[in-house]
Amino acid sequence: MKILILGGGGTLGKDLIAVLRQKKEEFYSFTKDQLNILNNEKLSKTIDELKPDLIINCAAYTKVDMAEIEREKAFNVNALAVFNLAKICKEKGILLSHISTDYVFSGTKKTPYHPFDMAEPINYYGVSKLYGEYFIRESKCDYLIVRTSWLYGTEGDNFFLRLLAKSETKDEIAVETDQVSSPTSTLTLSKALISLINKGARGIFNVTDRTNNGISLNSFARKVIEVFNKTTFIKPVRSSELLKPAKRPEYSVLDIEATEYIIGERLPYWEISLGEIKKRL
């Protein structure tokens, strides 16, 4: 199978590439600067030249707060570019694997969200990602959409790396106690994504590290500080105290049972994954 990775320079790219190399898969990876998915002409030409069997789209606008201000930019990347990509995949018979988010949900549910639960995003980032999913489904292309939550790793811009950076200079960092989900390492997502593809999975699946019924963002932050031997105090606050432009779902734990059934193994607990990420820094 010949694979094309879009957005290979982001948070997910490094570990996804490592997993593909380990499995000796034939792949081509492009960063945003090398191949911007907004450049439909260049994208189409590259796909024609490489003739991939599978495209993994990791490219996304992920600045949740800025998406409330830069709505057009977020929609262009997360929705319109995906519309064009899905159209190309349909025309050329290419499998499209797309990374989506738990933020397509409202957070009002108190039990883990299944792939078939109704999506009701409460911020514009979630809206733009949901449109991307919709355009893929409507294109009738062969697709695998994987939703994940609180993705973090050793590359890119993510909460985990920002927290570690702040801990170098701050004695106290305020982190929300009323946001509950499952942190997901890039290694977990990379391995599970490739396993789902190799098992022939199609449709929408959830991939996160295992947390049982979720943990708060504050709990995740405190554990990061502990594991990395920092002394910064993680102050418990409610989301309303931080006055962020975008609302976050209070509860966005994703149900991973279907994914574990298809790949034939349990996804790792979040503490184990955090330890693995530490080894990579």
Side-chain angles (χ1 to χ4, degrees), residues 9 19 24 26 71 73 86-87 99 109-110 117 124 182 204 222 238-240 244 250 261 264 278:
V19 170
K24 295 180 170 56
E26 181 182 2
R71 292 193 170 200
K73 187 175 181 180
K87 183 179 178 182
I99 310 301
K109 195 180 178 186
K110 299 305 179 187
D117 281 329
Y124 197 78
S182 302
I204 301 177
R222 284 190 283 108
R238 295 189 63 80
S239 299
S240 58
K244 292 181 178 180
E250 290 188 2
Y261 177 79
K278 182 182 179 182

Side-chain angles (χ1 to χ4, degrees), residues 33-46:
D33 291 336
Q34 293 170 330
L35 182 58
N36 193 319
I37 63 169
L38 293 174
N39 189 335
N40 195 49
E41 182 178 347
K42 186 175 180 180
L43 178 63
S44 183
K45 182 180 179 181
T46 301

Side-chain angles (χ1 to χ4, degrees), residues 48-85:
D48 281 337
E49 291 173 350
L50 296 178
K51 294 180 172 54
D53 304 295
L54 162 68
I55 295 176
I56 301 177
N57 182 34
C58 304
Y61 181 104
T62 59
K63 298 175 183 177
V64 178
D65 288 314
M66 284 301 297
E68 299 296 320
I69 302 167
E70 300 180 334
R71 292 193 170 200
E72 183 177 357
K73 187 175 181 180
F75 193 82
N76 285 344
V77 176
N78 293 341
L80 289 184
V82 176
F83 171 86
N84 291 324
L85 181 59

